Amino acid sequence: MTRLVAELDLLQPLPQQVLANHSFNACGVYGVPLVVNRLGILVNPIEAAPEIVSWRQVFNPPEAYVNRLVLPLHSYDTVSAGLMALGYHPYSKVESQHKALRELFKNTRSSLLANGTPYYQGKGQMNLTIGYPNQLESLKSQSGDDNWQFVAPKEGVVEFYECLVVPKGQQLTPDLSALLRSLPRYVPNNINPPKSTQRYSVSGLNALQIEERVQSLNDLEVLSK
C-alpha cells in the first residue's frame, strides 16, 4: 500500500538519516515499520486429532475439525491463506491460481461451521480459524477456554507492516524526525517465524503507546507534534 500511494506522488521520501537505522525496511524509502503482525492459524487442539501445522489443513481439515472451522470473510487474510495452502504467493495475481483458489473455497464449504470473524463461537464449537497472535486473548476470553494457540504454518506466515509515512509537501518536524530515527531495527525471521503472542515485534520502544497516540491524531496534528 505504501508503494502504491507513493506511485501516486502523495508521499515524500524520508531523509537518509531517518532510514539509516533500519537494516530491513519494508516500507521502502517512504516510511519506517512501526508494527509487524503475522497471519497464521488459530487452533484449539482436539485430543487425538492430527496436529495442525499447515495452511492445507485449514482448507482441508482433518475429520475431527470438520464443522469446527470458521473462515473470516476477509478479502486479504482468507485469500492469502488459501493461496499459500495451494503453494502460491499470497499476493499472486495469476488468474489460473485464483481459479484454483475458488475451487479450493468451494471444496472447503462442506467443512465450515460458519463464515464470520475469528471470534464467532458457534456455541463453543469452533476449534479452527485463521488470524493474528494478538487475537488470542480476546478469543480465550470470549470462549472461556485457555487452550487456544497461534500456529505459524510450515509453509510460512504472511507478515503485515504498519508504516509511518509523511505526506508530500508537509514539513518533517524535528520531533517526528527524531521519532522515526528512534524506532529500533527490525530483522525478519523468515526461516522460523515465532509462535509469539506478541503483536508488536519492535523492541526497545513502547510501540503500542506510540500507535495509540498516532491514531488519536489527524494527519496534520501528527506532522505538527
Side-chain angles (χ1 to χ4, degrees), residues 71-80 105 116 130 132 160:
L71 287 178
L73 295 174
H74 199 287
S75 58
Y76 292 129
D77 294 355
T78 307
V79 168
S80 60
F105 286 163
I130 64 175
Y132 297 90
F160 293 90

Side-chain angles (χ1 to χ4, degrees), residues 95-106:
E95 176 57 30
S96 61
Q97 295 180 2
H98 279 266
K99 182 177 180 180
L101 177 64
R102 290 191 289 271
E103 288 301 314
L104 178 67
F105 286 163
K106 290 179 182 178

Side-chain angles (χ1 to χ4, degrees), residues 126-175:
M126 182 179 76
N127 283 76
L128 184 63
T129 186
I130 64 175
Y132 297 90
N134 61 297
Q135 294 174 319
L136 272 180
E137 293 308 313
S138 294
L139 194 53
K140 290 177 180 180
S141 175
Q142 293 192 24
S143 65
D145 192 332
D146 289 333
N147 293 320
W148 280 94
Q149 303 172 7
F150 174 81
V151 174
K154 63 182 182 181
E155 298 93 348
V157 297
V158 181
E159 286 192 334
F160 293 90
Y161 302 86
E162 293 184 10
C163 301
L164 284 178
V165 299
V166 178
K168 186 174 182 179
Q170 298 295 335
Q171 180 184 4
L172 183 63
T173 65
D175 284 348

